[in-house]
Amino acid sequence: MLCPFCAAYAGEDEIVCPKCGKLLPRRETHEEGVMAIRQGKRAREAALLGYVGNDQPDGKKTPVTYERQGTGRTWVDPAARASTAGQIPVYAAQDVYDAQGEPLKEDDVYGMDRVHRSLVYGETGTREIPHLDPRPSSRAERKRLKQHPINWAKMTLLIVALLLLMALGVLIFLRTTDTGQKILARLGRDAASSAYWEIGEEKMDIGDIVGAIEAFERAKGTDEAAAEESAEINVNVSGLLMLASCYEASGRTADAETIYVDLYTNVVPTAADAYTHEIRILIASGRLAEAAKLMQTAYQHTGQTTFRTQRNELLPKAPETTVYAGLYEEKKYVTLTSAEEYPIYYTFNPDAVLPEEGTLYTEQIFLDEGIWSMRAVAVNGQLVSDELSAVYRIIMPSPQTPRASLAPNTYKQRQRVRLWPGLDNMEDDDITIYYTIDGSLPDADSPIYTGEPIWLPGNYCDLHAVAVNRYGKASNTLSIRYKILAKPYPLSSYSTEDIGSDMHLTMTTWDDFRSKYGDADEMEIVNMGGIDGECQKRIYSWGYAIFYRQSGRQLLGELYFTTGQFKAPRGTGVGNSENDVVGKFRDMGQVESPSGNRGLYENDSGKGMVYVNKDGTKTIRYTAITADSHRWQLEYTLSKSGTVIAVDQLYIP
C-alpha cells in the first residue's frame, strides 16, 4: 500500500510508514464493506466494478476492480499495486464508472468511504509523474466551485457586526460589573464611587498616598454630586476616614480635621472614630482645651467611658469646698481648695463664663441669707477643670410676731402698753423689738423697746411692732389701733393751708412779691426738681426766692429765709426752739430712735420728722400731700444749740 502522507510504499502488514513514520490507515476488506452495507452505511457497493478511461483502441471501457487506499480521493488497481511504487496517484474521480458504463457522481464516490474506494492511475507502472494542475480538472468540480464562491462583502459585514457586538459586550461589561467599573476607575474614566473607593484603598495599602488621595477625592466628589441630584445623603464613612488618614500622612492636617469635624458633627455623631482622630490631632498640636471639650462632647454623644476617662486624666481636678451645698439657718463662710493648688475662679452669676468672667479666689466667701448658686473651676494654663456647682440656701428662722399687753379697744383714760416676744422666742435673748406709735411702720431707725411701758397719746393711736433675731430676720408686724378718749389730743398735721407772711406757694407771683419786698440783689437761672424749663432765683440779703413759669406767669416755688423778716406757718420762724416748732404741729409723743431721729407723725396727709444731721444739728421737716399728689415741704434748720436758724418752704411737683 502507499502512504497517504509521503506516497512511499509500505507492506500490507506494516502499521507505520517506513519513510515518514506516521500511522498508516486501516485497509478495508470486501467483507467489511458488505457488513457496512448491511448496517446501513452510505455506499454504492461493497465491491464495485468500474470502468476507467477511453484509452482502449476499440473505445471500450475496461472494467477494473478498485480498492480504497489511504484517505481522501485515492484509488488503486489491486493488480497493479506492486508495479506502482514510487508513482504519484492521479486524481480522476470523474473517470470512474459503474458496471453499466455510467460515470459515478462525486457524492457516490465519496459515499464509498466506508466500503471500498479505488485509486486510479493513468498508465499503471509506465506513466511519468504528471504535473498537477491546481485548477479543477472536471466540469462537475468547476460547477461546484462556481456554485459556492466567497462573498467578501458579506464576509466584511459579518466581521464588522461581530466587532460591534464585541464592543457592545465590552461596554456592558465595563458599565454593569464591579470589575468593569474598577477598570474604568484605573483608566481615570467616569465610574461608580465604590470603584474609586476600592482603588484608593488598594493604593493606600501599597503606600501610594498621592494616588490614594486622588482616587478618594474622585469618589467623594461622585458621592456628593449624586447626593445633590437625588437629595439623599449617602456617605461612605470608612472611605472618608481613609481619605483623612491619607491627608494626615501627606501633611494636610487641616484637610483631615475638616473631614473629622464634618463626620462627628453632621454625619455620624454617635460614632467614635472621628472623635478619636480629631482628639489625637488636637493633643498633638497643643490645643489641650479644645481636646478636653471635644472629649466631653464625644462622651455625651457616644456614651463611651474611655472619652470621659481620658478627659479626667487630662484636666485639673475640680475645686472642693468646706461647706457642702444645702439648706442652712445661719450665715456661712465658704472655703475653696484645689488638690493641685491651681488658681480657682468662682462666680454667683449663672450667665458668667468661667474662668474669664469669674472672680479669683483669695479668701473665704461670706454667704448671707438668701439662695446662692456658686460655680468654681480650677485653672492650669489653658486647661480648665470641670465646674464645682453648689447651691446654698441660707434661710434663717424668723421670730414670731411680738405680743402686746393691751388689747385693741376704746379707752377713756391714757394707757400704757408692754411688748414681749412670741411664745417660741421667750427664751431667746437675741430678740430685739422695734415699735412705732407715730403711724409709720417700724424699721431699723425706729425706737427699740427696752421693757419700759409705752405711753399712748390721746385720740386714735396705731401701735406697730416687729421682732428681729440675731440673724437679722424680722417677724411679721404687730398692728393694733387704740382709741384713747383722753386729752390732750394731738394737733393737726401740716397742710397746704399753712402759709406764712402771706407768701403762698404756687400762687404768689413775682410781681406781687417784688412789690412787697423789692427787687433782688442778683438773679440766677436754676432748675427745680420736677419743673420743666428754667427758673429764676432772686437772691436777697435775707435769703432767696425761686419763681417758675407757668401759663405765662412767674409763680413762687421756693422761699428760703434766715432772718426774722418772714414768718413761717403757724407763727414759727427763725429764733424758735425745737419744742416751739414741734409744739405747733402734730406730735404723737414717740421717743427717739438709737440714731436720735424721732418720728412726729405719719398719715395719709403727710409726715413729720426730726432728723439728726452728721454735724450734730437737727432738722425738723414736715411734708403735706396735695389733692393732685403734689407735695409741699416745710423745713426748719436748727443750730447745735437747738435754735432755728433757717426756714425753707418748697413746692415739689
Side-chain angles (χ1 to χ4, degrees):
M1 60 180 298
L2 295 178
C3 177
F5 302 102
C6 63
Y9 178 80
E12 295 181 358
D13 297 331
E14 291 182 349
I15 300 174
V16 180
C17 178
K19 183 177 181 180
C20 65
K22 293 185 179 181
L23 184 65
L24 295 173
R26 183 174 60 87
R27 179 183 177 186
E28 295 181 354
T29 63
H30 176 72
E31 294 179 354
E32 291 174 339
V34 172
M35 184 62 65
I37 293 174
R38 291 177 180 177
Q39 292 177 354
K41 305 294 183 177
R42 183 183 176 189
R44 286 287 300 270
E45 291 178 351
L48 178 67
L49 291 178
Y51 300 87
V52 295
N54 281 323
D55 50 354
Q56 298 300 324
D58 55 359
K60 294 183 179 180
K61 300 176 178 61
T62 303
V64 180
T65 300
Y66 301 104
E67 292 182 355
R68 177 177 178 269
Q69 178 66 45
T71 60
R73 292 183 295 181
T74 304
W75 307 84
V76 65
D77 182 0
R81 181 187 303 124
S83 61
T84 57
Q87 295 187 15
I88 298 301
V90 176
Y91 295 94
Q94 67 274 15
D95 296 330
V96 179
Y97 302 88
D98 58 13
Q100 288 73 26
E102 297 294 332
L104 293 178
K105 296 181 180 180
E106 186 79 10
D107 293 340
D108 294 335
V109 177
Y110 295 155
M112 299 177 186
D113 185 49
R114 292 185 179 91
V115 185
H116 282 292
R117 290 180 182 173
S118 298
L119 181 65
V120 178
Y121 291 89
E123 293 180 1
T124 302
T126 60
R127 181 180 293 183
E128 297 294 332
I129 297 176
H131 174 71
L132 298 179
D133 190 351
R135 292 175 299 173
S137 57
S138 68
R139 185 182 304 168
E141 185 70 13
R142 288 194 299 271
K143 183 178 180 181
R144 186 183 65 83
L145 292 179
K146 288 182 180 180
Q147 290 176 350
H148 301 283
I150 298 176
N151 192 330
W152 292 107
K154 291 183 179 180
M155 186 66 68
T156 302
L157 292 176
L158 179 61
I159 294 174
V160 171
L162 291 175
L163 291 177
L164 290 176
L165 289 175
M166 291 178 60
L168 180 61
V170 171
L171 181 62
I172 294 174
F173 170 77
L174 294 177
R175 292 298 183 186
T176 59
T177 64
D178 294 339
T179 303
Q181 290 293 296
K182 290 179 66 175
I183 294 174
L184 290 176
R186 287 192 178 93
L187 296 175
R189 306 297 184 184
D190 291 338
S193 61
S194 58
Y196 276 103
W197 287 121
E198 291 184 22
I199 297 301
E201 186 175 0
E202 292 175 0
K203 292 186 177 182
M204 184 178 69
D205 292 340
I206 63 175
D208 184 4
I209 302 300
V210 175
I213 290 176
E214 292 178 355
F216 287 146
E217 288 179 343
R218 184 73 175 267
K220 179 174 177 289
T222 302
D223 285 342
E224 291 174 350
E228 291 180 359
E229 293 179 0
S230 62
E232 295 181 1
I233 299 177
N234 183 18
V235 180
N236 188 334
V237 176
S238 60
L240 291 176
L241 289 173
M242 289 188 293
L243 174 58
S245 299
C246 291
Y247 280 151
E248 288 190 66
S250 63
R252 298 168 59 179
T253 306
D255 293 333
E257 284 192 76
T258 301
I259 293 179
Y260 293 142
V261 172
D262 181 63
L263 284 176
Y264 66 69
T265 302
N266 303 317
V267 182
V268 281
T270 57
D273 293 337
Y275 292 108
T276 301
H277 292 302
E278 178 64 11
I279 289 171
R280 173 176 47 77
I281 292 176
L282 293 175
I283 293 177
S285 60
R287 292 177 286 172
L288 303 181
E290 296 180 45
K293 185 176 180 180
L294 185 58
M295 291 174 190
Q296 179 67 17
T297 303
Y299 171 68
Q300 293 173 349
H301 289 172
T302 66
Q304 295 190 9
T305 57
T306 53
F307 290 113
R308 182 178 61 182
T309 303
Q310 186 181 13
R311 184 174 181 271
N312 292 338
E313 294 175 352
L314 178 66
L315 293 180
K317 294 182 179 180
E320 298 178 353
T321 177
T322 57
V323 180
Y324 295 106
L327 175 63
Y328 296 93
E329 294 183 350
E330 59 184 0
K331 301 174 183 179
K332 291 292 183 180
Y333 285 89
V334 177
T335 301
L336 298 177
T337 58
S338 170
E340 297 94 350
E341 298 184 353
Y342 292 136
I344 299 174
Y345 292 84
Y346 70 94
T347 182
F348 293 101
N349 182 357
D351 299 325
V353 178
L354 290 175
E356 292 84 353
E357 299 178 3
T359 301
L360 178 63
Y361 174 80
T362 56
E363 58 183 1
Q364 286 184 319
I365 304 170
F366 173 71
L367 300 181
D368 203 344
E369 184 180 20
I371 299 177
W372 305 88
S373 297
M374 183 180 70
R375 296 183 296 126
V377 295
V379 180
N380 177 21
Q382 62 173 315
L383 295 178
V384 180
S385 72
D386 290 331
E387 289 187 358
L388 164 69
S389 298
V391 178
Y392 300 97
R393 292 176 173 84
I394 312 297
I395 303 176
M396 294 175 290
S398 299
Q400 289 183 311
T401 304
R403 296 173 296 147
S405 61
L406 185 64
N409 207 336
T410 299
Y411 299 93
K412 294 182 179 181
Q413 295 178 351
R414 292 194 64 186
Q415 300 291 321
R416 294 187 303 175
V417 62
R418 293 179 182 273
L419 298 175
W420 296 286
L423 293 176
D424 294 341
N425 305 121
M426 290 297 293
E427 304 300 327
D428 193 344
D429 297 333
D430 292 331
I431 296 295
T432 302
I433 298 177
Y434 295 86
Y435 75 96
T436 61
I437 59 173
D438 65 348
S440 64
L441 294 176
D443 56 22
D445 196 30
S446 298
I448 296 176
Y449 180 73
T450 60
E452 295 293 328
I454 303 169
W455 280 98
L456 300 178
N459 207 348
Y460 289 97
C461 176
D462 292 322
L463 172 65
H464 300 289
V466 294
V468 179
N469 60 15
R470 65 180 180 274
Y471 306 121
K473 295 289 291 183
S475 69
N476 293 329
T477 302
L478 170 68
S479 298
I480 302 177
R481 168 163 282 197
Y482 301 101
K483 185 176 182 181
I484 310 298
L485 301 178
K487 295 182 180 181
Y489 297 132
L491 300 177
S492 62
S493 304
Y494 169 68
S495 71
T496 57
E497 301 297 327
D498 293 315
I499 60 176
S501 300
D502 297 329
M503 295 293 105
H504 198 290
L505 296 177
T506 70
M507 296 182 66
T508 302
T509 64
W510 162 241
D511 294 336
D512 294 339
F513 188 88
R514 182 175 56 180
S515 63
K516 189 172 184 178
Y517 298 101
D519 288 328
D521 296 336
E522 56 181 295
M523 190 270 290
E524 294 179 358
I525 301 299
V526 297
N527 293 317
M528 290 182 63
I531 296 179
D532 296 333
E534 297 179 345
C535 302
Q536 295 179 353
K537 181 178 181 181
R538 311 285 180 170
I539 302 174
Y540 294 86
S541 59
W542 44 260
Y544 62 85
I546 299 178
F547 293 86
Y548 67 94
R549 183 174 293 278
Q550 180 177 333
S551 301
R553 298 186 302 166
Q554 291 186 354
L555 303 177
L556 181 63
E558 182 178 0
L559 178 62
Y560 176 84
F561 55 91
T562 58
T563 67
Q565 185 172 354
F566 292 93
K567 283 296 181 180
R570 303 189 185 186
T572 59
V574 176
N576 290 152
S577 65
E578 178 182 347
N579 291 333
D580 292 337
V581 175
V582 172
K584 299 293 185 178
F585 299 92
R586 188 178 186 85
D587 183 4
M588 301 301 292
Q590 181 169 287
V591 299
E592 294 179 352
S593 68
S595 65
N597 298 335
R598 186 169 78 89
L600 300 174
Y601 68 90
E602 184 172 341
N603 51 39
D604 294 339
S605 62
K607 179 179 181 180
M609 189 81 181
V610 179
Y611 297 95
V612 177
N613 301 317
K614 292 182 179 180
D615 59 359
T617 62
K618 290 184 177 182
T619 299
I620 304 172
R621 181 179 299 150
Y622 296 100
T623 303
I625 300 176
T626 66
D628 54 358
S629 300
H630 294 167
R631 288 188 300 162
W632 285 21
Q633 180 174 290
L634 174 61
E635 187 174 276
Y636 299 85
T637 302
L638 281 65
S639 65
K640 291 182 179 181
S641 62
T643 303
V644 176
I645 59 176
V647 178
D648 186 17
Q649 291 179 269
L650 176 64
Y651 166 64
I652 304 174

